[in-house]
């Protein structure tokens, strides 16, 4: 029962955070959402800093599992078809498969993981995070950037670190835009946005623009 109550409170804390942001978090709001006595939140999860950290750790574990699945699918696609080809036309053909996988990833994030998207937005853009949690958020960010940088490197990017950051920022902007406006993702629109972003860095690398 104790473990169930703890999980119930943690889930309630994440709902409050997704709805009100970090600044809107309080023991009272969490207890009300969980349907438990006020004292239970601190008993099971500790201080507000402890609750924020538990929320982040739980969110990050789910999100990184999802990212690992995407990376596995991307690597399998690239091992089958290769990355950058001899000419731009052939490279773009391989890139279409990558764009399809990324578009599906965004679609699934918005439709099936909107709570985690709201949490990600709250953690990334909050001014009120304790330094220990802010450090974890930076590490999470760097993991995302590293995965995207490796993808751009396989396509011959002459600046994979910058190009990887651009790809992550484009994906996040599209995700958060759909989330905040409660829009159902259109796959063709997602492919167009991703295609223009990714073909841009491939073309820049092939003609020597830095």
């Amino acid at each position: 029962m104790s473990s169930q109550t703890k999980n119930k409170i943690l889930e309630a804390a994440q709902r409050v955070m997704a709805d009100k942001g970090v600044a809107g978090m309080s023991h009272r709001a969490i207890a009300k959402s969980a349907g438990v006595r006020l004292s239970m939140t601190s008993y099971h999860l500790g201080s507000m800093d402890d609750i924020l950290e538990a929320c982040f750790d739980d969110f990050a574990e789910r999100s990184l599992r999802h990212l690992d699945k995407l990376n596995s699918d991307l690597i399998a696609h690239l091992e089958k078809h290769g990355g950058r080809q001899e000419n731009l036309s052939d490279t773009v053909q391989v890139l279409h498969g990558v764009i399809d996988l990324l578009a599906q990833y965004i679609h699934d994030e918005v439709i099936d993981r909107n709570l985690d998207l709201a949490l990600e937005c709250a953690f990334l853009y909050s001014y009120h995070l304790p330094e220990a949690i802010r450090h974890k958020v930076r590490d999470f960010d760097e993991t995302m950037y590293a995965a995207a940088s490796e993808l751009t490197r396989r396509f011959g990017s002459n600046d994979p670190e910058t190009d990887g950051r651009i790809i992550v920022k484009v994906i996040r902007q599209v995700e958060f835009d759909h989330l905040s406006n409660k829009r159902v993702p259109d796959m063709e629109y997602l492919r167009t946005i991703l295609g223009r972003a990714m073909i841009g860095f491939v073309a820049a690398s092939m003609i020597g623009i830095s």
Side-chain angles (χ1 to χ4, degrees), residues 26-118:
S26 70
H27 285 278
R28 189 172 300 280
I30 294 167
K32 181 178 179 180
S33 179
V36 299
R37 295 192 309 274
L38 181 59
S39 60
M40 298 294 279
T41 61
S42 55
Y43 175 79
H44 285 283
L45 291 179
S47 68
M48 187 52 61
D49 284 3
D50 293 331
I51 292 175
L52 287 171
E53 189 164 9
C55 285
F56 179 80
D57 290 344
D58 190 56
F59 148 78
E61 182 182 356
R62 289 193 303 269
S63 295
L64 291 177
R65 280 202 309 267
H66 201 54
L67 180 63
D68 285 344
K69 172 64 167 58
L70 172 64
N71 283 336
S72 296
D73 291 343
L74 289 169
I75 289 170
H77 173 75
L78 292 173
E79 286 181 347
K80 181 177 180 180
H81 300 286
R84 177 170 167 175
Q85 306 294 305
E86 297 256 337
N87 58 67
L88 180 58
S89 177
D90 291 340
T91 301
V92 168
Q93 289 302 311
V94 176
L95 201 56
H96 279 315
V98 171
I99 291 167
D100 285 343
L101 288 169
L102 292 175
Q104 190 63 54
Y105 171 83
I106 294 173
H107 180 276
D108 293 347
E109 289 269 289
V110 174
I111 297 298
D112 300 326
R113 303 186 64 246
N114 48 62
L115 173 67
D116 283 340
L117 269 187

Side-chain angles (χ1 to χ4, degrees), residues 169-185:
K169 290 180 185 301
V170 167
I171 290 173
R172 279 181 173 160
Q173 179 58 44
V174 173
E175 288 177 339
F176 294 159
D177 175 61
H178 280 76
L179 180 69
S180 62
N181 292 293
K182 302 186 186 305
R183 290 165 48 199
V184 177

Side-chain angles (χ1 to χ4, degrees), residues 104-171:
Q104 190 63 54
Y105 171 83
I106 294 173
H107 180 276
D108 293 347
E109 289 269 289
V110 174
I111 297 298
D112 300 326
R113 303 186 64 246
N114 48 62
L115 173 67
D116 283 340
L117 269 187
L119 291 173
E120 182 176 355
C121 186
F123 280 118
L124 286 173
Y125 302 118
S126 172
Y127 292 102
H128 305 281
L129 288 178
E131 185 54 38
I133 303 174
R134 194 175 299 281
H135 180 74
K136 287 189 173 187
V137 173
R138 284 196 292 265
D139 286 347
F140 175 82
D141 239 9
E142 289 304 319
T143 299
M144 302 286 282
Y145 290 141
S149 295
E150 174 59 19
L151 175 63
T152 64
R153 185 193 64 77
R154 286 174 177 259
F155 280 95
S157 168
N158 55 11
D159 189 356
E161 183 175 335
T162 297
D163 289 334
R165 287 176 179 270
I166 291 171
I167 295 303
V168 170
K169 290 180 185 301
V170 167
I171 290 173

